[in-house]
């Protein structure tokens, strides 16, 4: 027997907070946060690794961990030509809370970055979100949480605009292919190892209008010798009833301060 419509909507809304496909900094957010990180003029190919601990894994403004901490890490290979591939993972809670299973998200992505003209950068690619053993397809009113998005981004100076388009169902929502997310932001170098991050985004969930919302973030980070520390104020205008955790009823899109410590090597 299917759950009452309000309960189903609440569970579905939490499911869209996948990954992050990921905040916290997900693979998708990391790609957006550095629009000119690697251009076609890069002098050499690079392989880098990253690891972080965060007080709340937020993806597109919604908590993936029921407002609790997460451990994250990834690896990226960037060719001198601007082509790149990478993988990123995080602990999560949303799938199990929604009646499924699994506590890990793994994102795999690839694409091409470069410059269209001096100061004008581009980034295009594809991102696949995997949720091993999520079993949401066995929960009434859901499909599997696995999701694929294609994305395109333009950057100029510290600013960027990016659009991500789902070519599959989005994070467990039934009949939600062709959903889209618009991301506008800036990453400003403030000197002395400090940077400021500004972001606003809008998520549209195809055929699930109750799950549409806008999110925002204002953050600051400081790079130290051994790690980077970041603090961000995040929030959304998502429906409080739709985005309540099925586990404890808490609003997963509420305004909050998020603290992270990360290291790249």
């Amino acid at each position: 027997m299917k759950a009452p419509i309000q309960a189903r909507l609440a569970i579905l809304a939490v499911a869209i907070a996948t990954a992050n496909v990921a905040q916290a900094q997900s693979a998708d957010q990391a790609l957006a946060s550095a629009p000119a990180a690697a251009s076609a003029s890069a002098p050499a190919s690079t392989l880098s690794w990253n690891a972080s601990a965060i007080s709340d894994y937020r993806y597109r403004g919604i908590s993936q961990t029921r407002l609790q901490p997460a451990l994250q890490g990834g690896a990226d290979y960037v060719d001198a030509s601007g082509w790149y591939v990478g993988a990123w993972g995080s602990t999560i809670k949303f799938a199990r809370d929604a009646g499924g299973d699994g506590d890990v998200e793994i994102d795999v992505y690839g694409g091409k970055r470069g410059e269209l003209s001096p100061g004008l950068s581009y980034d295009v690619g594809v991102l696949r979100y995997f949720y091993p053993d999520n079993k949401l397809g066995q929960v009434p009113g859901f499909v599997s949480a696995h999701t694929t998005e294609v994305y395109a981004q333009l950057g100029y100076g510290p600013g960027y605009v990016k659009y991500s388009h789902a070519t599959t169902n989005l994070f467990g929502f039934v009949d939600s292919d062709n959903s889209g997310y618009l991301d506008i932001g800036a990453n400003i170098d403030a000197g002395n190892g400090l940077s400021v991050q500004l972001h606003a985004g809008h998520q549209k969930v195809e055929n699930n209008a109750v799950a549409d919302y806008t999110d925002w973030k204002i953050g600051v980070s400081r790079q130290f010798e051994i790690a980077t520390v970041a603090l961000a104020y995040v929030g959304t205008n998502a429906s409080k009833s739709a985005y309540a955790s099925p586990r404890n009823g808490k609003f997963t899109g509420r305004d909050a301060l998020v603290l992270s410590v990360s290291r790249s090597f």
Side-chain angles (χ1 to χ4, degrees):
M1 180 176 180
K2 292 186 178 181
I5 184 65
Q6 287 124 333
R8 292 178 60 204
L9 289 175
I11 295 173
L12 281 171
V14 170
I16 191 173
T18 55
N20 220 293
V21 78
Q23 349 147 292
Q25 287 290 321
S26 70
D28 182 59
Q29 290 171 302
L31 290 167
S33 68
S39 70
S41 60
S45 301
T46 60
L47 176 63
S48 63
W49 305 81
N50 63 84
S52 65
I54 192 162
S55 62
D56 181 7
Y57 172 22
R58 294 290 185 112
Y59 187 58
R60 298 178 180 172
I62 304 295
S63 177
Q64 311 301 294
T65 49
R66 205 186 329 119
L67 309 174
Q68 296 181 11
L71 295 176
Q72 304 172 335
D76 295 274
Y77 174 77
V78 182
D79 188 75
S81 65
W83 290 97
Y84 63 87
V85 293
W88 181 89
S90 179
T91 56
I92 61 168
K93 294 183 182 294
F94 84 89
R96 196 181 296 272
D97 287 354
D101 205 350
D103 54 10
V104 175
E105 169 192 348
I106 300 172
D107 304 336
V108 179
Y109 48 90
K112 176 83 160 57
R113 299 187 185 112
E115 284 192 336
L116 297 173
S117 63
L120 181 62
S121 65
Y122 71 89
D123 185 349
V124 294
V126 60
L127 169 59
R128 176 68 172 176
Y129 307 77
F130 290 100
Y131 301 94
D133 300 319
N134 71 89
K135 297 181 181 178
L136 287 180
Q138 300 175 22
V139 178
F142 286 92
V143 293
S144 173
H146 302 317
T147 299
T148 300
E149 290 183 328
V150 294
Y151 56 85
Q153 175 178 296
L154 288 176
Y156 187 77
Y160 67 87
V161 58
K162 177 180 181 180
Y163 179 71
S164 300
H165 188 83
T167 61
T168 64
N169 286 311
L170 186 74
F171 306 137
F173 282 95
V174 175
D175 195 25
S176 60
D177 56 309
N178 293 317
S179 295
Y181 184 74
L182 179 64
D183 175 8
I184 300 173
N187 299 285
I188 303 167
D189 184 354
N192 298 317
L194 285 169
S195 63
V196 176
Q197 299 86 41
L198 305 174
H199 153 82
H202 182 73
Q203 178 71 69
K204 175 177 173 55
V205 185
E206 191 74 12
N207 298 316
N208 293 271
V210 69
D212 295 352
Y213 67 94
T214 297
D215 72 287
W216 53 85
K217 180 180 82 169
I218 301 173
V220 61
S221 62
R222 174 68 185 272
Q223 185 173 352
F224 296 95
E225 185 175 348
I226 61 172
T228 297
V229 178
L231 182 66
Y233 175 79
V234 299
T236 76
N237 70 349
S239 166
K240 291 184 179 180
S241 59
Y243 281 86
S245 168
R247 180 72 175 269
N248 58 18
K250 291 185 177 180
F251 177 39
T252 58
R254 71 184 186 186
D255 292 5
L257 289 174
V258 176
L259 176 67
S260 67
V261 179
S262 62
R263 181 183 176 104
S264 296
F265 45 93

